[in-house]
């Protein structure tokens, strides 16, 4: 990966904030718009209890055209209209801010006003991981586990 200009790094850091904001909104949609069996635990922050559940409104989609699919320790959200995707870590409230390099690249790629950033990452996973590691050294991200990072 080539060295990124500070302006690009700032845009990526702002995109991380945007990811977290949208992830929180989407988790709240799942909590309020689906019939989660473990709703009380989920409301207390045990997001690992979230599962693919029936919708309260008998629809097959969350409000604002969002599809969701819980798989393993993640929940994939995709906007049916825009194609924007977020792969959100479950666990607890803090975990939804966890970033996987490849999943975050896909968020950039599918978010219309952020797609221009993807041209800086020729190898989506490796280059994004290199950036995350660099941002960790600069004390802007912290390494969580394996390839997971979170903004400080």
């Amino acid at each position: 990966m080539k060295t990124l200009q500070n302006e690009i790094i700032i845009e990526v850091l702002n995109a991380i904030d945007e990811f977290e904001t949208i992830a929180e909104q989407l988790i709240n949609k799942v909590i309020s718009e689906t019939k989660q069996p473990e709703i009380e635990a989920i409301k207390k922050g045990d997001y690992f209890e979230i599962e693919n559940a029936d919708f309260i409104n008998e629809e097959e989609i969350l409000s604002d055209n969002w599809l969701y699919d819980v798989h393993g320790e993640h929940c994939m959200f995709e906007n049916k209209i825009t194609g924007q995707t977020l792969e959100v870590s479950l666990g607890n409230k803090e975990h939804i801010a966890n970033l996987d390099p490849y999943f975050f690249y896909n968020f950039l790629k599918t978010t219309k006003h952020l797609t221009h950033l993807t041209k800086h990452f020729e190898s989506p996973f490796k280059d994004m991981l290199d950036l995350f590691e660099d941002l960790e050294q600069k004390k802007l991200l912290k390494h969580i586990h394996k390839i997971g990072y979170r903004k400080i």
Side-chain angles (χ1 to χ4, degrees):
M1 179 183 84
K2 58 187 173 195
T3 303
L4 297 177
Q5 298 174 345
N6 283 338
E7 297 82 28
I8 301 302
I9 292 172
I10 290 168
E11 282 190 78
V12 169
L13 291 170
N14 288 335
I16 290 171
D17 292 337
E18 183 174 342
F19 174 92
E20 184 175 354
T21 298
I22 296 170
E24 286 179 29
Q25 292 169 350
L26 293 172
I27 291 294
N28 287 332
K29 285 181 186 293
V30 170
I31 293 168
S32 65
E33 298 178 24
T34 64
K35 300 173 185 175
Q36 293 294 322
E38 301 298 329
I39 191 65
E40 293 309 315
I42 293 167
K43 285 180 178 179
K44 291 177 184 175
D46 294 338
Y47 291 169
F48 62 88
E49 296 284 0
I50 292 174
E51 58 185 70
N52 293 318
D54 291 336
F55 292 83
I56 291 172
N57 64 5
E58 304 302 325
E59 297 289 326
E60 295 297 322
I61 192 167
L62 298 169
S63 61
D64 299 320
N65 302 300
W66 286 98
L67 301 169
Y68 86 103
D69 179 38
V70 176
H71 53 97
E73 60 188 37
H74 294 99
C75 184
M76 192 278 299
F77 293 95
E78 181 180 5
N79 189 286
K80 198 171 173 183
I81 305 298
T82 67
Q84 183 182 38
T85 61
L86 287 85
E87 188 81 23
V88 178
S89 291
L90 301 176
N92 61 38
K93 288 183 180 188
E94 188 175 80
H95 288 131
I96 64 172
N98 290 357
L99 299 167
D100 170 284
Y102 186 73
F103 293 153
F104 183 68
Y105 175 86
N106 281 339
F107 169 72
L108 296 177
K109 185 173 85 173
T110 61
T111 304
K112 189 174 183 178
H113 65 280
L114 299 174
T115 55
H116 67 282
L117 293 171
T118 61
K119 70 182 177 187
H120 300 286
F121 305 96
E122 291 176 21
S123 174
F125 174 77
K126 182 189 178 315
D127 290 349
M128 190 63 69
L129 179 60
D130 289 347
L131 174 61
F132 283 4
E133 289 172 345
D134 183 54
L135 294 175
E136 179 189 19
Q137 289 178 354
K138 293 177 180 173
K139 307 285 189 227
L140 297 169
L141 292 183
K142 65 179 175 178
H143 183 246
I144 304 302
H145 63 88
K146 297 181 185 174
I147 56 168
Y149 290 82
R150 184 180 306 137
K151 194 170 175 191
I152 295 175

